[in-house]
Amino acid sequence: MDPQNLRIVLAFSLEDQAWIRRSSIVVPKYWAGHSVAPAAGDALRIGGRQFIVQARVWEHDGTTPILRLFLSSGHDESDTVFG
């Protein structure tokens, strides 16, 4: 598959979507131009929070293939370990 024809869509929880809007965070196109699609377990850092790819769903919109990535809830970066 030609990576230029693949569209990757990130799916955030409703709470994380609201946080992204409130914080005016621009989500980068991490995989633009890459030949390797993301895998389950990959980690992304967006606006100081970490998200894990929990599931991948392949779709097609009639024109191009779409890889929808379902992400975990965002976690703030922290040096503190509780427990």
Side-chain angles (χ1 to χ4, degrees):
M1 176 186 317
D2 181 9
Q4 301 302 324
N5 292 336
L6 175 62
R7 194 172 80 181
I8 297 175
V9 177
L10 303 177
F12 294 93
S13 70
L14 293 176
E15 182 179 311
D16 289 328
Q17 287 176 29
W19 168 75
I20 289 168
R21 278 193 304 276
R22 280 192 313 271
S23 302
S24 301
I25 293 172
V26 176
V27 178
K29 295 182 180 186
Y30 287 103
W31 290 276
H34 289 260
S35 61
V36 178
D42 282 350
L44 307 173
R45 289 204 186 266
I46 301 169
R49 290 190 180 185
Q50 179 172 304
F51 300 86
I52 305 296
V53 177
Q54 292 187 317
R56 302 172 358 142
V57 176
W58 288 96
E59 301 174 344
H60 202 283
D61 66 1
T63 310
T64 60
I66 298 170
L67 177 56
R68 189 171 306 276
L69 302 177
F70 290 89
L71 303 175
S72 67
S73 294
H75 300 285
D76 290 327
E77 290 184 54
S78 176
D79 294 330
T80 306
V81 177
F82 297 100

